[in-house]
Amino acid sequence: MASFVKDAQVKLPRPTRVKNKTPAPLQITSEQLLREARGRQEPEILPPKQNITDSAELSDYRLRRRKDFEDRIRRPGPPTQTWVNYARWEESQKDYARARSVWERALQGNYKNHALWLKYAEFEMKNKFVNSARNVWDRAVTILPRADQLWYKYTHMEEMVGNIGGAREVFERWMKWSPDQQGWLSFINFELRYRETERARDVYERFVLCHPKASSYIHYAEFEVKGGEVERARDVYERAVKNLGDDEEIFVAYGEFEERCKEVERARVIYEFGLDRVGRGEELYRKFVAFEKQYGDKEGVDDVTVKRRRLEYEEKVRNNPLNYDAWFDYIRLEEVEASVGDKERIREVYERAIANVPPANEKRYWRRYIYLWINYALYEEIEAEDVERARQVYRECLNLVPHASFSFAKLWLLAAQFEIRQLNLTAARKILGNAIGKAPNKDKIFKTYIDIELQLGEIDRCRRLYEKYLVWSPQKCNVWCKYSELENSLEETERARGIFELAVSQTTLDLPELVWKAYIDFEMSQGEVERTRALYERLLERTKHYKVWVSFAKFEAGEQEEDATERKRECIRRTRAVLDRACMYYKDAAPELKEERAVLLEEWLKMEVGFGMLGDVSIVESKLPKKLKKRKAITGEDGSIEFVEYTDYIFPEELQTSNLKILEAAIRWKKQKVDAF
């Protein structure tokens, strides 16, 4: 056995290694290879033809073939084609009874196979057994009523044999099963072929009830139009609009129908109604624009565009009512395109927009929403000229905002300014008073309220407002300065000075340097030199910033008189005294502030140069430091070390100390050398 397997193995030759891979001079295409292979193919071996000469031989042949077919169909699960071949062979032998028997046997196991029923019925029809074929069709459609092809063939056979009544009866049986649209249309075309218009109309009525779709109604209406029944067609379209509602295809077909009937106004109304019902219908909009270009004018085309945009905005706000940008665009469209009598429409859009209150009491959600109210109030005041309605809008908006969490100063101020435009100062003051009491952020309200009262000349009210402002926010230096400016403009010097004193006595200020500068400038404008000098001294008790020293020195230097030389000398002496104090402070109390000290000395040098003949530059030059560029190591977050250059200042006293240290080191070295000997 092993030797047999070994002998049975096929030994393939070793593949020859190709050494020369250059292309051959004569190239052969794949087509040539296939043609050559086809030419060398051996001819197919066909079974020999058998000639039957007598009846006995024919009987033997039939017996063998039947036995062969029977053997095949006795196998488990024989294919349908075997039965078909068996029946067709019997048919070819003109033995129709046997063929019919084979078909019946085939259907016993495959009665749900509609293709088998079709071939069986075609066998009966081909051999002109009409009654038998009718019997097969009747059985087939009874067993498989949803197989439309069986009904088509059945009705076609009845029509071909001239049995019109029978065909109509078959159609009626078929329609009871509610077939698809093509089945109904086949029935209708059948009736129309025999000019049965009323019967066709009755079928159409049942058709649109079975399939209430746009295409069904359109087919029905076109049937009536072809028959010249315009009113009936219009009635069909009206029923379609009523039953289907928002189907774009119906409105397009209805509008085109009215255009063909030269009913321009009807078509326009239908297109407009369709756009209102359908919404964003691309085809309907395109048809309407083309219609207006053909039958309308420029205003009509613009109206179509406006309606389309209106529908787009309606869809946006319907999908997301909190999309305030879409509401703004919608309102802007209505205001731009509004005619004289469209105020109510604009108000309706505003009311719908403001009804969408933000879901959370957070200011970031209300920022865009609040402008809907503002625009609404401005529209009522300016465009609609309805003052009472504008006042009501402001009032409702102020009641709606949760002032305990946040507020909008702009809203309060617009409401107050509206009342001022109506010459109702009492109402405006009441609104601003409520704003001060309710709004968490009162800066803008206080400032605007004070400006209004100042313009009206109500000085006492301005003072009371400043006092309330400072009680609410005593740390704001700008308010103190504005209050003192008001008193100074009224020549109330003592009041202004008292306000400044209160300001500088506050423990917490946001910009204390602003108050001190304003106070000093105020005293200087009043010519109070001693008071100004005392203020500088008080300020130096709080801070020793080099700018304060420089400002103090410039103040002392600025008190010179053009003709009084002694006075100039006194001012220069005071200036030098201030700067010398500053240098001593930086030298003794803050030696680490080298850069500030260097800047101070540079300013001093400039002043000495500015003094002219009375100045002495040498006083400052002896104190100026030397600038040295040094490098220092900085460790980064990742542990890397970088070297950065910086400027260091070496002052004269530091240089002298350094020289002394060098001299001491030299003396120690010399002493060590002497001791060594």
Side-chain angles (χ1 to χ4, degrees):
M1 183 67 182
S3 62
F4 175 75
V5 173
K6 183 177 180 181
D7 295 339
Q9 290 179 353
V10 179
K11 293 184 178 180
L12 297 175
R14 295 180 63 184
T16 305
R17 184 177 180 183
V18 180
K19 296 182 178 179
N20 186 7
K21 296 184 179 180
T22 58
L26 181 62
Q27 296 293 315
I28 301 175
T29 63
S30 59
E31 183 180 358
Q32 291 173 332
L33 293 174
L34 293 174
R35 189 184 300 115
E36 184 179 356
R38 181 68 177 173
R40 294 182 180 181
Q41 188 175 2
E42 295 181 356
E44 185 180 358
I45 300 175
L46 300 175
K49 292 184 179 180
Q50 184 179 5
N51 294 323
I52 299 174
T53 56
D54 57 3
S55 59
E57 192 174 356
L58 178 61
S59 298
D60 291 340
Y61 166 71
R62 288 176 175 175
L63 182 62
R64 287 196 307 272
R65 290 291 291 168
R66 288 187 180 115
K67 183 176 183 300
D68 182 46
F69 278 119
E70 291 293 338
D71 290 340
R72 290 182 187 177
I73 62 178
R74 275 198 296 269
R75 294 171 186 171
T80 305
Q81 190 59 35
T82 304
W83 289 103
V84 174
N85 294 338
Y86 190 8
R88 286 177 177 174
W89 182 83
E90 293 290 357
E91 181 184 1
S92 67
Q93 300 300 313
K94 306 299 181 181
D95 196 343
Y96 300 119
R98 283 182 177 274
R100 191 174 289 114
S101 174
V102 172
W103 285 115
E104 292 292 340
R105 289 168 61 194
L107 288 172
Q108 287 179 0
N110 296 312
Y111 64 92
K112 291 184 180 180
N113 189 346
H114 73 281
L116 202 59
W117 286 101
L118 285 173
K119 292 173 182 177
Y120 185 13
E122 287 174 358
F123 154 74
E124 299 287 3
M125 286 166 36
K126 183 169 63 174
N127 295 288
K128 299 181 180 180
F129 299 118
V130 178
N131 288 330
S132 297
R134 187 177 287 120
N135 183 30
V136 172
W137 288 124
D138 192 67
R139 290 163 57 198
V141 297
T142 303
I143 295 173
L144 301 173
R146 295 296 181 187
D148 292 341
Q149 194 174 3
L150 299 176
W151 292 103
Y152 284 125
K153 293 287 187 178
Y154 193 4
T155 56
H156 179 69
M157 186 199 74
E158 294 291 356
E159 190 174 359
M160 290 296 101
V161 300
N163 186 9
I164 307 304
R168 183 175 290 114
E169 184 180 353
V170 173
F171 270 118
E172 291 292 346
R173 288 175 58 192
W174 186 13
M175 296 305 111
K176 291 179 181 179
W177 289 96
S178 299
D180 59 6
Q181 293 189 16
Q182 192 57 41
W184 287 94
L185 294 176
S186 299
F187 190 11
I188 292 167
N189 292 332
F190 165 77
E191 296 292 357
L192 292 177
R193 282 197 295 272
Y194 298 99
R195 292 179 174 80
E196 295 288 346
T197 307
E198 290 300 326
R199 288 181 180 273
R201 184 175 289 115
D202 179 65
V203 176
Y204 265 120
E205 291 290 340
R206 293 154 57 193
F207 174 37
V208 296
L209 290 176
C210 181
H211 295 280
K213 299 179 181 178
S215 57
S216 305
Y217 282 100
I218 292 172
H219 278 295
Y220 190 6
E222 289 177 353
F223 158 74
E224 296 292 359
V225 171
K226 288 180 181 178
E229 298 288 344
V230 177
E231 292 299 328
R232 287 180 180 271
R234 185 173 288 121
D235 180 66
V236 171
Y237 278 120
E238 290 176 358
R239 287 163 54 193
V241 171
K242 181 180 179 181
N243 295 333
L244 301 183
D246 55 353
D247 196 307
E248 179 186 7
E249 190 177 357
I250 280 293
F251 289 105
V252 172
Y254 196 3
E256 291 177 346
F257 162 74
E258 295 294 353
E259 285 186 57
R260 292 194 298 269
C261 296
K262 308 299 181 183
E263 295 287 347
V264 178
E265 291 302 323
R266 280 179 176 269
R268 181 175 287 110
V269 172
I270 290 166
Y271 282 129
E272 292 177 353
F273 181 69
L275 285 174
D276 291 338
R277 292 287 296 274
V278 175
R280 294 183 62 184
E282 297 293 336
E283 181 66 17
L284 183 60
Y285 173 70
R286 187 178 62 81
K287 289 287 185 182
F288 194 12
V289 171
F291 169 80
E292 288 294 344
K293 288 181 179 178
Q294 183 176 359
Y295 298 101
D297 51 8
K298 185 177 181 299
E299 293 182 358
V301 177
D302 293 341
D303 289 341
V304 175
T305 305
V306 170
K307 289 177 182 177
R308 171 62 181 273
R309 291 177 59 192
R310 183 180 290 122
L311 292 174
E312 291 178 357
Y313 291 137
E314 283 287 348
E315 184 175 354
K316 285 183 180 179
V317 299
R318 189 185 308 113
N319 295 334
N320 184 11
L322 298 179
N323 185 2
Y324 299 122
D325 291 332
W327 283 111
F328 282 120
D329 295 337
Y330 192 4
I331 292 167
R332 192 178 301 113
L333 172 68
E334 295 294 347
E335 290 180 348
V336 171
E337 302 296 336
S339 59
V340 179
D342 283 348
K343 291 182 180 179
E344 292 302 324
R345 184 183 185 89
I346 298 173
R347 285 170 178 162
E348 179 189 357
V349 178
Y350 268 119
E351 292 292 340
R352 290 171 55 197
I354 62 178
N356 299 292
V357 182
N361 288 341
E362 295 184 23
K363 194 169 185 176
R364 58 194 178 98
Y365 296 121
W366 286 68
R367 291 185 188 278
R368 294 289 291 163
Y369 169 72
I370 209 68
Y371 278 94
L372 290 172
W373 286 94
I374 293 173
N375 291 348
Y376 189 11
L378 293 176
Y379 168 76
E380 292 291 351
E381 180 187 0
I382 299 171
E383 300 294 335
E385 298 180 356
D386 192 338
V387 176
E388 290 300 325
R389 197 176 184 91
R391 182 178 288 113
Q392 182 180 359
V393 171
Y394 278 122
R395 187 182 301 116
E396 291 180 1
C397 182
L398 290 173
N399 292 333
L400 180 65
V401 176
H403 300 290
S405 302
F406 57 86
S407 187
F408 295 93
K410 186 180 186 67
L411 185 61
W412 291 102
L413 297 177
L414 286 173
Q417 290 167 358
F418 164 75
E419 295 294 349
I420 292 173
R421 287 193 294 271
Q422 308 308 319
L423 305 179
N424 192 351
L425 293 177
T426 305
R429 285 172 176 147
K430 183 178 180 181
I431 291 171
L432 291 172
N434 290 333
I436 291 172
K438 293 182 178 180
N441 186 8
K442 305 177 177 64
D443 284 325
K444 193 173 182 180
I445 297 172
F446 270 117
K447 291 176 183 178
T448 307
Y449 196 0
I450 291 169
D451 289 340
I452 292 172
E453 295 294 354
L454 190 59
Q455 292 173 7
L456 295 173
E458 296 289 343
I459 304 301
D460 292 334
R461 288 182 178 273
C462 291
R463 285 171 176 160
R464 287 198 295 271
L465 288 173
Y466 270 122
E467 291 170 2
K468 291 182 180 178
Y469 197 176
L470 292 171
V471 169
W472 173 70
S473 181
Q475 75 278 3
K476 291 187 177 296
C477 297
N478 190 34
V479 182
W480 290 102
C481 295
K482 289 291 184 182
Y483 192 7
S484 62
E485 286 178 10
L486 172 65
E487 297 294 350
N488 190 23
S489 64
L490 298 173
E491 297 183 358
E492 294 286 349
T493 307
E494 293 302 323
R495 278 181 173 273
R497 185 174 289 118
I499 292 168
F500 276 123
E501 286 294 334
L502 288 173
V504 298
S505 64
Q506 299 297 318
T507 57
T508 304
L509 292 173
D510 53 358
L511 294 170
E513 64 276 7
L514 183 65
V515 174
W516 282 99
K517 185 179 183 305
Y519 195 3
I520 291 170
D521 292 342
F522 165 73
E523 294 293 356
M524 291 174 64
S525 65
Q526 299 297 323
E528 298 288 344
V529 178
E530 293 301 326
R531 287 182 179 273
T532 306
R533 189 175 289 118
L535 281 176
Y536 272 117
E537 294 294 342
R538 290 169 60 188
L539 181 57
L540 286 172
E541 291 177 2
R542 296 196 177 194
T543 177
K544 296 294 193 297
H545 198 275
Y546 80 93
K547 289 185 178 181
V548 178
W549 292 105
V550 172
S551 179
F552 192 7
K554 288 181 178 180
F555 161 72
E556 294 292 357
E559 293 300 318
Q560 305 178 37
E561 296 181 4
E562 295 183 1
D563 299 331
T565 306
E566 292 298 327
R567 178 65 176 169
K568 289 183 180 180
R569 292 181 184 279
E570 180 64 21
C571 291
I572 293 172
R573 187 187 63 79
R574 287 180 178 275
T575 303
R576 288 172 179 167
V578 171
L579 293 173
D580 192 56
R581 284 171 58 196
C583 289
M584 293 302 295
Y585 165 74
Y586 284 115
K587 178 181 177 181
D588 298 335
E592 70 278 1
L593 301 177
K594 293 184 178 182
E595 187 174 358
E596 286 78 356
R597 183 181 175 186
V599 174
L600 182 70
L601 289 171
E602 289 176 2
E603 291 290 337
W604 191 356
L605 182 61
K606 291 179 183 178
M607 289 183 187
E608 292 292 345
V609 173
F611 291 154
M613 297 296 294
L614 300 177
D616 188 359
V617 180
S618 60
I619 298 175
V620 186
E621 287 180 347
S622 61
K623 298 180 180 181
L624 289 174
K626 289 185 178 181
K627 294 182 180 180
L628 297 177
K629 283 192 174 182
K630 295 184 177 181
R631 298 176 67 192
K632 61 180 178 180
I634 297 178
T635 305
E637 295 181 357
D638 55 351
S640 60
I641 299 175
E642 295 182 1
F643 290 91
V644 179
E645 288 189 356
Y646 70 97
T647 303
D648 193 13
Y649 298 92
I650 305 298
F651 289 93
E653 63 272 9
E654 294 178 344
L655 186 61
Q656 186 178 2
T657 304
S658 176
N659 292 336
L660 289 175
K661 289 181 179 179
I662 294 173
L663 184 59
E664 290 176 358
I667 292 172
R668 284 197 303 271
W669 176 79
K670 186 175 181 181
K671 186 178 180 181
Q672 290 175 359
K673 295 287 285 182
V674 171
D675 294 340
F677 288 106

